[in-house]
Amino acid sequence: MTVRKIGGIGDRKSGADSGTFSSLGIFTQNTETFAKFITLEATGTIARGDCVALDIGTSTDGQAIYVAKADGDATDAADTVQLRQGFGIAAEAAASGDLVKIQVHGLCDFAILDAKTDTVEGDLLMADNDAGELTVYAASKDQVPLAILIEEGTDTTADSTVFLLNVLNF
C-alpha cells in the first residue's frame, strides 16, 4: 500500500546534485503535482481559466449542481451571495448547459487575473468584480480566499499560476 499526502507538500528533491543528495536521503525541491477536478453543468458561457462559483439559483429539484462565472461585485444587478464566492478555475470552455471540468485544488497554470490590481507572488486571491477573474483578497468582502498567487501571467489571459485551496472541500 502506498501512502499519499492529499493536498500536502510532497517529496523534496535536490536540483543541484541529485545523485549525491538523494543517495544520502536529502531532498530539497518540491515536486508535488496533485490536482483535483470536478465536473458540473454550466448555466452560462464559461471560458478556460475563468473563476467559477456555484449557481444555486438554478435548480432541478436538487438533482444537479450548477456553476457560473464568479462575480465579486456586490452592486451588480445580477448579484447573489453565492456567485461572489469562487471555488475553482474552469479547465475548459463551456456554453450554457454543457458539462465543464473545474480544477478545485492544487497547482493551476491557467487562471485569469484582473488587469486593474497589482499582485505579487504569495497574494491570497478571491473572485474579482469582473466576472471570471481573480483579484487580491480583501477582508472587507464577503468571500474567503480561494487561491494563492504563484506566478502572474498576462492580465486577463488564462496563463497565471495559482495554488487552489479547495475552499468548498470537494
Side-chain angles (χ1 to χ4, degrees):
M1 180 174 151
T2 302
V3 176
R4 178 173 174 86
K5 292 185 275 184
I6 303 298
I9 296 299
D11 293 333
R12 309 276 288 170
K13 302 235 183 263
S14 171
D17 184 3
S18 59
T20 302
F21 285 109
S22 63
S23 67
L24 297 173
I26 300 170
F27 303 103
T28 56
Q29 179 184 354
N30 186 7
T31 60
E32 177 64 54
T33 57
F34 176 74
K36 186 169 187 177
F37 294 85
I38 62 170
T39 302
L40 298 172
E41 187 174 331
T43 59
T45 302
I46 295 175
R48 182 177 193 268
D50 276 346
C51 176
V52 296
L54 294 177
D55 185 358
I56 59 176
T58 302
S59 174
T60 56
D61 297 324
Q63 299 300 312
I65 299 175
Y66 297 93
V67 294
K69 288 183 182 184
D71 187 352
D73 189 358
T75 62
D76 190 341
D79 176 56
T80 58
V81 172
Q82 76 272 9
L83 287 178
R84 292 183 215 152
Q85 179 58 59
F87 71 88
I89 304 295
E92 56 197 15
S96 184
D98 290 348
L99 292 177
V100 60
K101 184 176 178 182
I102 302 158
Q103 184 172 348
V104 295
H105 178 79
L107 199 62
C108 171
D109 62 1
F110 49 86
I112 300 174
L113 290 184
D114 172 43
K116 301 180 300 293
T117 307
D118 290 331
T119 54
V120 295
E121 294 170 357
D123 278 345
L124 292 172
L125 302 173
M126 66 179 195
D128 186 56
N129 291 349
D130 293 326
E133 297 178 3
L134 295 172
T135 192
V136 176
Y137 171 71
S140 61
K141 299 285 187 173
D142 52 358
Q143 300 182 46
V144 296
L146 73 133
I148 301 168
L149 180 62
I150 304 299
E151 184 177 354
E152 183 175 4
T154 306
D155 291 335
T156 68
T157 303
D159 65 353
S160 294
T161 302
V162 300
F163 189 87
L164 294 167
L165 303 173
N166 196 6
V167 295
L168 298 183
N169 201 26
F170 281 109

